[in-house]
Amino acid sequence: MEPPGCSKVSSVDSIDFDFPELPSIIQKEPNRTARSESPARQRHQRPSECSICGKTANGYHYDVPSCNGCKTFFRRLCVSEKSFICKAGGDCFNLTKRKVPLKCRACRYEKCISEGMNPNAMLLDEKEATAENFKKLKKRVNQSNPKDPDDDSGEDIEHQIEKKQVIKDVACIENKMQKLVDMLNYLERKVTKFRMSAYNPHWSTLPGLEAFLLLENKISLADRSGPMPGWPLKTQSSPPKIPEFGKKPTGPAYSPDQKCWILYDLMVSIEYAKTFMFFHQLDSRDRLVLMRYVALALMNLHISYFTVAKKYDTIIHPDGKLAPMKKGMVYAETVMSIAPLIRCEIQETEFVLLKAICLCNPAVPDLSQHAQEILGREREQYADALFDHCLRNRKDGPSQFAELIGMVDLLERQQRMQKDLHLLHVAPFVSKIPQKDKMLLVDDIMNF
């Protein structure tokens, strides 16, 4: 979103998304055979500079080499009813006068138009196509490129239609991928808010996994509960030791202002999965099998990314507490997914797509054929979006994509080790705890 600049009108409102269900929106691009008589398009090399603002270009957007920021800005203004007036000399984006353009929406919009950004290359719904700015710009472009009726050298009608359809299809795929990423980012903000919220139920009120999957989604409770008071807590100088199990088999003590993070983060992972529309297309047995297999991996990835984003190399929780540490296998298996994220300098978009890929795992044992097909299609669209992002935003795009996809195998290996350690060291003690003190949700996942 553009900060206030020379324009008279305040910045455009951010897009609101439906929540909690996220639809599957990317369709595979149909195969097309190139016409031998078509003019050759010299776009073999990726453009290096945005012709609007001078920053690094991500590709050709609406027929013009440009960055994602200018592409999004042009589209947003085209489908709006707002107009802008420059308060300066009308040359805020004249890069021959200055190296860095001024923050003026009026001049930026005019620069997009003058550089040839094509409104006809955008895929719009019926409401967007009726926007005043779009109609004015489309008329302006059509008047500046009139067709001479006596000119027989032009393209035939069939070729014109095919060329427009190709542009429309390419724009459609690009826009749908952007919408997919936007919705995942929106969901991740909701999940983060849920983790920071004051919602903190006692584990005795939570059922086992099978019954929990039938409950309504709880992420919206973050808005009602508000943030947890007193967070973040005072930062610890070093991670605490893992407490030794006492001789008396009693469960952990409950505190209303402190969360049991293994329980809460597993619950967050399940609620995250329940927001996807495809998840509800699975039958109840497939949903249970899938979450028993992937919930811990989703939790580990989320915790690791949160830790890396906070510039830590050891697990830190939203309340500011460091995770308990003990030398040896237990601690090593807990943090093994942090180092790869640091090494590949993972970006937020890469994280949200990788997380969705981990959820959509068609290779989970005992899934039905119906579930495998649904999860396979979903994983493919998220993988395509991740690969496209890496190509556009990374110098070593293919190798970055390969390293990120390799994280899926690491997360599966990590959760298997954690479950083995739980069965060896924790389960014997938990079995002696009274039933009313047990965390049924944790037991269902860790003992699977």
Side-chain angles (χ1 to χ4, degrees):
M1 185 178 294
E2 288 292 309
C6 298
S7 306
K8 290 183 177 180
V9 184
S10 60
S11 56
V12 181
D13 294 335
S14 58
I15 301 174
D16 192 17
F17 299 99
D18 291 333
F19 187 81
E21 292 187 349
L22 297 180
S24 304
I25 58 175
I26 291 187
Q27 303 294 330
K28 298 299 292 180
E29 183 180 2
N31 293 327
R32 294 186 176 273
T33 56
R35 293 170 59 102
S36 59
E37 64 270 17
S38 300
R41 299 184 182 123
Q42 299 298 323
R43 291 188 180 179
H44 302 296
Q45 294 184 352
R46 175 179 171 179
S48 59
E49 183 178 291
C50 175
S51 59
I52 312 301
C53 66
K55 295 182 180 179
T56 302
N58 299 100
Y60 285 87
H61 303 302
Y62 312 133
D63 300 341
V64 173
S66 55
C67 62
N68 281 332
C70 290
K71 174 200 74 173
T72 305
F73 171 83
F74 177 70
R75 177 185 173 82
R76 188 170 66 237
L77 262 65
C78 276
V79 299
S80 74
E81 304 289 341
K82 298 181 179 180
S83 59
F84 305 98
I85 300 175
C86 177
K87 292 183 179 180
D91 59 353
C92 302
F93 267 72
N94 188 343
L95 299 183
T96 62
K97 294 185 177 181
R98 54 183 61 86
K99 292 183 179 180
V100 179
L102 302 179
K103 294 185 181 298
C104 173
R105 283 172 294 221
C107 292
R108 188 179 187 182
Y109 186 49
E110 284 299 322
K111 183 68 176 294
C112 291
I113 297 172
S114 65
E115 289 295 328
M117 278 199 169
N118 184 6
N120 295 318
M122 293 189 292
L123 180 66
L124 306 178
D125 56 31
E126 293 182 4
K127 183 178 179 181
E128 291 172 331
T130 60
E132 192 64 28
N133 284 348
F134 176 75
K135 291 191 292 186
K136 288 180 180 178
L137 181 56
K138 186 174 182 180
K139 183 178 180 181
R140 177 176 170 180
V141 170
N142 292 339
Q143 287 178 346
S144 63
N145 298 285
K147 179 73 176 179
D148 185 356
D150 298 326
D151 184 7
D152 296 329
S153 61
E155 299 171 313
D156 56 50
I157 298 298
E158 181 182 353
H159 189 198
Q160 292 180 39
I161 293 174
E162 181 179 352
K163 187 168 72 171
K164 288 181 179 180
Q165 186 61 43
V166 170
I167 293 174
K168 183 177 180 180
D169 288 342
V170 172
C172 176
I173 295 297
E174 182 178 318
N175 291 336
K176 285 181 176 179
M177 283 191 175
Q178 186 60 49
K179 283 186 177 181
L180 181 68
V181 172
D182 289 343
M183 286 191 291
L184 289 176
N185 282 325
Y186 174 78
L187 172 59
E188 202 58 38
R189 290 195 295 271
K190 287 289 187 179
V191 169
T192 300
K193 187 176 181 180
F194 185 54
R195 292 185 80 209
M196 298 293 295
S197 72
Y199 176 70
N200 185 24
H202 193 286
W203 41 84
S204 63
T205 64
L206 300 176
L209 178 59
E210 186 172 5
F212 191 86
L213 289 172
L214 300 177
L215 300 178
E216 291 185 357
N217 198 293
K218 300 179 183 298
I219 290 181
S220 60
L221 294 178
D223 297 324
R224 304 180 208 170
S225 305
M228 182 70 82
W231 283 10
L233 304 173
K234 185 178 179 181
T235 306
Q236 300 161 287
S237 57
S238 60
K241 298 289 185 180
I242 293 179
E244 298 291 338
F245 293 122
K247 295 182 180 179
K248 187 178 180 181
T250 57
Y254 171 78
S255 175
D257 60 346
Q258 295 186 23
K259 297 183 179 182
C260 177
W261 286 111
I262 178 66
L263 171 68
Y264 203 88
D265 282 332
L266 281 174
M267 180 176 67
V268 168
S269 297
I270 298 168
E271 299 296 359
Y272 165 83
K274 286 160 65 176
T275 62
F276 289 83
M277 186 178 294
F278 77 84
F279 188 76
H280 300 280
Q281 296 173 357
L282 309 177
D283 61 36
S284 57
R285 178 187 173 277
D286 285 327
R287 290 198 295 268
L288 179 62
V289 171
L290 178 66
M291 291 318 300
R292 278 179 171 169
Y293 192 89
V294 304
L296 188 57
L298 292 174
M299 184 194 80
N300 288 328
L301 177 59
H302 189 108
I303 293 174
S304 297
Y305 178 76
F306 181 84
T307 297
V308 172
K310 294 292 183 181
K311 309 298 184 184
Y312 280 78
D313 58 0
T314 185
I315 291 176
I316 184 171
H317 296 304
D319 58 4
K321 281 188 173 182
L322 299 176
M325 181 181 72
K326 181 178 180 180
K327 291 183 178 179
M329 186 177 294
V330 175
Y331 182 69
E333 307 309 341
T334 304
V335 301
M336 64 184 292
S337 55
I338 295 178
L341 299 186
I342 297 175
R343 183 174 61 250
C344 68
E345 299 179 347
I346 190 169
Q347 299 173 358
E348 183 179 9
T349 297
E350 295 167 345
F351 161 67
V352 298
L353 288 169
L354 180 61
K355 190 175 178 181
I357 291 171
C358 289
L359 170 62
C360 306
N361 189 347
V364 172
D366 297 328
L367 282 176
S368 68
Q369 183 66 30
H370 172 69
Q372 292 175 17
E373 292 173 357
I374 292 176
L375 294 172
R377 289 195 300 268
E378 295 294 322
R379 172 172 276 200
E380 184 178 4
Q381 71 167 351
Y382 294 122
D384 287 346
L386 179 59
F387 185 68
D388 180 75
H389 171 84
C390 291
L391 287 180
R392 292 174 180 271
N393 297 279
R394 298 285 194 169
K395 293 181 179 178
D396 53 346
S399 61
Q400 175 74 3
F401 173 77
E403 185 163 7
L404 290 171
I405 291 297
M407 280 289 299
V408 176
D409 179 66
L410 182 143
L411 290 166
E412 292 183 4
R413 189 167 69 252
Q414 179 184 19
Q415 72 171 357
R416 286 197 300 269
M417 293 176 177
Q418 289 174 321
K419 289 182 178 182
D420 290 343
L421 290 171
H422 178 86
L423 291 174
L424 289 173
H425 299 286
V426 181
F429 175 80
V430 172
S431 64
K432 301 176 183 179
I433 295 177
Q435 188 69 18
K436 64 182 180 64
D437 293 330
K438 289 185 178 181
M439 300 179 186
L440 300 180
L441 193 61
V442 177
D443 288 346
D444 276 357
I445 294 173
M446 298 301 293
N447 293 330
F448 175 72

Short mmCIF file of all heavy atoms in Angstrom, two decimals, residues 357-383:
data_model
loop_
_atom_site.label_atom_id
_atom_site.label_comp_id
_atom_site.label_asym_id
_atom_site.label_seq_id
_atom_site.Cartn_x
_atom_site.Cartn_y
_atom_site.Cartn_z
N ILE A 357 2.11 -26.66 1.13
CA ILE A 357 2.60 -27.88 0.48
C ILE A 357 2.73 -29.01 1.50
O ILE A 357 2.39 -30.16 1.23
CB ILE A 357 3.96 -27.60 -0.20
CG1 ILE A 357 3.76 -26.68 -1.42
CG2 ILE A 357 4.64 -28.89 -0.63
CD1 ILE A 357 5.05 -26.18 -2.02
N CYS A 358 3.20 -28.67 2.71
CA CYS A 358 3.33 -29.70 3.76
C CYS A 358 1.96 -30.25 4.17
O CYS A 358 1.83 -31.44 4.46
CB CYS A 358 4.02 -29.09 4.99
SG CYS A 358 5.77 -28.76 4.76
N LEU A 359 0.96 -29.39 4.18
CA LEU A 359 -0.38 -29.84 4.53
C LEU A 359 -0.94 -30.78 3.47
O LEU A 359 -1.55 -31.81 3.81
CB LEU A 359 -1.31 -28.62 4.69
CG LEU A 359 -2.80 -28.91 4.84
CD1 LEU A 359 -3.07 -29.75 6.08
CD2 LEU A 359 -3.60 -27.61 4.87
N CYS A 360 -0.73 -30.45 2.21
CA CYS A 360 -1.31 -31.24 1.11
C CYS A 360 -0.36 -32.39 0.75
O CYS A 360 0.37 -32.32 -0.24
CB CYS A 360 -1.55 -30.35 -0.11
SG CYS A 360 -2.55 -28.91 0.25
N ASN A 361 -0.39 -33.42 1.56
CA ASN A 361 0.53 -34.54 1.36
C ASN A 361 -0.23 -35.78 0.90
O ASN A 361 -0.82 -36.50 1.70
CB ASN A 361 1.26 -34.84 2.68
CG ASN A 361 2.40 -35.83 2.50
OD1 ASN A 361 2.51 -36.49 1.46
ND2 ASN A 361 3.24 -35.96 3.50
N PRO A 362 -0.22 -36.05 -0.40
CA PRO A 362 -0.96 -37.21 -0.91
C PRO A 362 -0.29 -38.54 -0.60
O PRO A 362 -0.88 -39.60 -0.83
CB PRO A 362 -1.00 -36.96 -2.42
CG PRO A 362 0.23 -36.15 -2.70
CD PRO A 362 0.44 -35.30 -1.49
N ALA A 363 0.95 -38.51 -0.07
CA ALA A 363 1.69 -39.74 0.21
C ALA A 363 1.46 -40.26 1.63
O ALA A 363 2.11 -41.23 2.04
CB ALA A 363 3.19 -39.51 -0.01
N VAL A 364 0.54 -39.65 2.37
CA VAL A 364 0.25 -40.11 3.73
C VAL A 364 -0.32 -41.52 3.66
O VAL A 364 -1.25 -41.77 2.89
CB VAL A 364 -0.76 -39.16 4.42
CG1 VAL A 364 -1.21 -39.73 5.75
CG2 VAL A 364 -0.13 -37.79 4.62
N PRO A 365 0.22 -42.45 4.43
CA PRO A 365 -0.29 -43.83 4.40
C PRO A 365 -1.76 -43.90 4.81
O PRO A 365 -2.22 -43.11 5.65
CB PRO A 365 0.61 -44.55 5.42
CG PRO A 365 1.84 -43.70 5.52
CD PRO A 365 1.39 -42.30 5.32
N ASP A 366 -2.48 -44.83 4.21
CA ASP A 366 -3.88 -45.16 4.55
C ASP A 366 -4.89 -44.12 4.06
O ASP A 366 -6.07 -44.20 4.43
CB ASP A 366 -4.05 -45.34 6.07
CG ASP A 366 -3.24 -46.52 6.59
OD1 ASP A 366 -3.07 -47.49 5.83
OD2 ASP A 366 -2.77 -46.45 7.74
N LEU A 367 -4.47 -43.16 3.27
CA LEU A 367 -5.45 -42.25 2.67
C LEU A 367 -6.20 -42.95 1.55
O LEU A 367 -5.64 -43.80 0.85
CB LEU A 367 -4.76 -41.01 2.10
CG LEU A 367 -4.32 -39.91 3.07
CD1 LEU A 367 -3.57 -38.83 2.31
CD2 LEU A 367 -5.51 -39.31 3.80
N SER A 368 -7.45 -42.58 1.36
CA SER A 368 -8.23 -43.14 0.26
C SER A 368 -7.73 -42.57 -1.07
O SER A 368 -7.06 -41.53 -1.11
CB SER A 368 -9.71 -42.81 0.45
OG SER A 368 -9.93 -41.41 0.29
N GLN A 369 -8.12 -43.24 -2.15
CA GLN A 369 -7.73 -42.76 -3.48
C GLN A 369 -8.32 -41.39 -3.76
O GLN A 369 -7.67 -40.53 -4.37
CB GLN A 369 -8.21 -43.77 -4.54
CG GLN A 369 -7.79 -43.42 -5.97
CD GLN A 369 -6.29 -43.49 -6.16
OE1 GLN A 369 -5.61 -44.28 -5.50
NE2 GLN A 369 -5.75 -42.67 -7.06
N HIS A 370 -9.54 -41.18 -3.29
CA HIS A 370 -10.21 -39.89 -3.46
C HIS A 370 -9.40 -38.78 -2.79
O HIS A 370 -9.18 -37.70 -3.38
CB HIS A 370 -11.62 -39.96 -2.88
CG HIS A 370 -12.34 -38.65 -2.83
ND1 HIS A 370 -12.76 -37.98 -3.95
CD2 HIS A 370 -12.69 -37.85 -1.77
CE1 HIS A 370 -13.36 -36.85 -3.61
NE2 HIS A 370 -13.33 -36.75 -2.29
N ALA A 371 -8.94 -39.02 -1.57
CA ALA A 371 -8.16 -38.02 -0.84
C ALA A 371 -6.81 -37.78 -1.51
O ALA A 371 -6.34 -36.63 -1.58
CB ALA A 371 -7.96 -38.46 0.60
N GLN A 372 -6.18 -38.83 -1.99
CA GLN A 372 -4.89 -38.67 -2.66
C GLN A 372 -5.01 -37.78 -3.89
O GLN A 372 -4.13 -36.95 -4.16
CB GLN A 372 -4.34 -40.04 -3.05
CG GLN A 372 -3.92 -40.91 -1.86
CD GLN A 372 -3.49 -42.30 -2.28
OE1 GLN A 372 -3.19 -42.54 -3.45
NE2 GLN A 372 -3.47 -43.23 -1.35
N GLU A 373 -6.09 -37.95 -4.65
CA GLU A 373 -6.27 -37.13 -5.85
C GLU A 373 -6.49 -35.66 -5.48
O GLU A 373 -5.92 -34.77 -6.12
CB GLU A 373 -7.46 -37.67 -6.64
CG GLU A 373 -7.23 -39.04 -7.26
CD GLU A 373 -8.48 -39.61 -7.91
OE1 GLU A 373 -9.53 -38.95 -7.82
OE2 GLU A 373 -8.40 -40.71 -8.50
N ILE A 374 -7.30 -35.41 -4.47
CA ILE A 374 -7.55 -34.02 -4.06
C ILE A 374 -6.27 -33.37 -3.55
O ILE A 374 -5.91 -32.26 -3.97
CB ILE A 374 -8.64 -33.98 -2.97
CG1 ILE A 374 -9.99 -34.39 -3.55
CG2 ILE A 374 -8.72 -32.60 -2.34
CD1 ILE A 374 -11.11 -34.48 -2.52
N LEU A 375 -5.55 -34.06 -2.69
CA LEU A 375 -4.33 -33.50 -2.11
C LEU A 375 -3.25 -33.34 -3.18
O LEU A 375 -2.45 -32.39 -3.12
CB LEU A 375 -3.83 -34.39 -0.97
CG LEU A 375 -4.74 -34.44 0.26
CD1 LEU A 375 -4.24 -35.50 1.25
CD2 LEU A 375 -4.81 -33.08 0.94
N GLY A 376 -3.21 -34.26 -4.13
CA GLY A 376 -2.23 -34.14 -5.21
C GLY A 376 -2.45 -32.89 -6.04
O GLY A 376 -1.49 -32.18 -6.39
N ARG A 377 -3.72 -32.60 -6.38
CA ARG A 377 -4.02 -31.39 -7.15
C ARG A 377 -3.68 -30.12 -6.35
O ARG A 377 -3.13 -29.16 -6.89
CB ARG A 377 -5.50 -31.38 -7.55
CG ARG A 377 -5.88 -32.39 -8.60
CD ARG A 377 -7.25 -32.07 -9.19
NE ARG A 377 -8.29 -32.09 -8.17
CZ ARG A 377 -9.02 -33.16 -7.86
NH1 ARG A 377 -8.79 -34.31 -8.49
NH2 ARG A 377 -9.97 -33.08 -6.95
N GLU A 378 -4.03 -30.13 -5.08
CA GLU A 378 -3.75 -28.97 -4.25
C GLU A 378 -2.25 -28.73 -4.11
O GLU A 378 -1.77 -27.60 -4.23
CB GLU A 378 -4.39 -29.14 -2.87
CG GLU A 378 -5.90 -29.19 -2.87
CD GLU A 378 -6.51 -27.86 -3.30
OE1 GLU A 378 -5.97 -26.81 -2.93
OE2 GLU A 378 -7.52 -27.89 -4.02
N ARG A 379 -1.51 -29.78 -3.84
CA ARG A 379 -0.06 -29.63 -3.67
C ARG A 379 0.58 -29.11 -4.96
O ARG A 379 1.50 -28.28 -4.91
CB ARG A 379 0.58 -30.96 -3.27
CG ARG A 379 2.10 -30.92 -3.26
CD ARG A 379 2.73 -32.17 -2.69
NE ARG A 379 2.80 -32.11 -1.24
CZ ARG A 379 3.62 -32.85 -0.49
NH1 ARG A 379 4.43 -33.71 -1.07
NH2 ARG A 379 3.62 -32.74 0.82
N GLU A 380 0.09 -29.57 -6.10
CA GLU A 380 0.66 -29.15 -7.39
C GLU A 380 0.49 -27.65 -7.59
O GLU A 380 1.41 -26.97 -8.05
CB GLU A 380 0.00 -29.92 -8.53
CG GLU A 380 0.60 -29.60 -9.89
CD GLU A 380 -0.03 -30.40 -11.00
OE1 GLU A 380 -0.98 -31.16 -10.73
OE2 GLU A 380 0.43 -30.28 -12.16
N GLN A 381 -0.67 -27.10 -7.24
CA GLN A 381 -0.88 -25.67 -7.47
C GLN A 381 0.00 -24.83 -6.53
O GLN A 381 0.53 -23.80 -6.92
CB GLN A 381 -2.35 -25.30 -7.31
CG GLN A 381 -2.91 -25.34 -5.90
CD GLN A 381 -4.27 -24.67 -5.81
OE1 GLN A 381 -4.71 -24.03 -6.77
NE2 GLN A 381 -4.92 -24.80 -4.67
N TYR A 382 0.18 -25.28 -5.29
CA TYR A 382 1.05 -24.53 -4.38
C TYR A 382 2.52 -24.66 -4.79
O TYR A 382 3.29 -23.70 -4.67
CB TYR A 382 0.85 -25.02 -2.95
CG TYR A 382 -0.53 -24.72 -2.40
CD1 TYR A 382 -1.36 -25.74 -1.94
CD2 TYR A 382 -1.02 -23.42 -2.37
CE1 TYR A 382 -2.62 -25.48 -1.46
CE2 TYR A 382 -2.29 -23.15 -1.89
CZ TYR A 382 -3.08 -24.18 -1.43
OH TYR A 382 -4.34 -23.92 -0.96
N ALA A 383 2.90 -25.82 -5.27
CA ALA A 383 4.28 -26.01 -5.75
C ALA A 383 4.54 -25.15 -6.98
O ALA A 383 5.62 -24.55 -7.12
CB ALA A 383 4.53 -27.48 -6.06
#
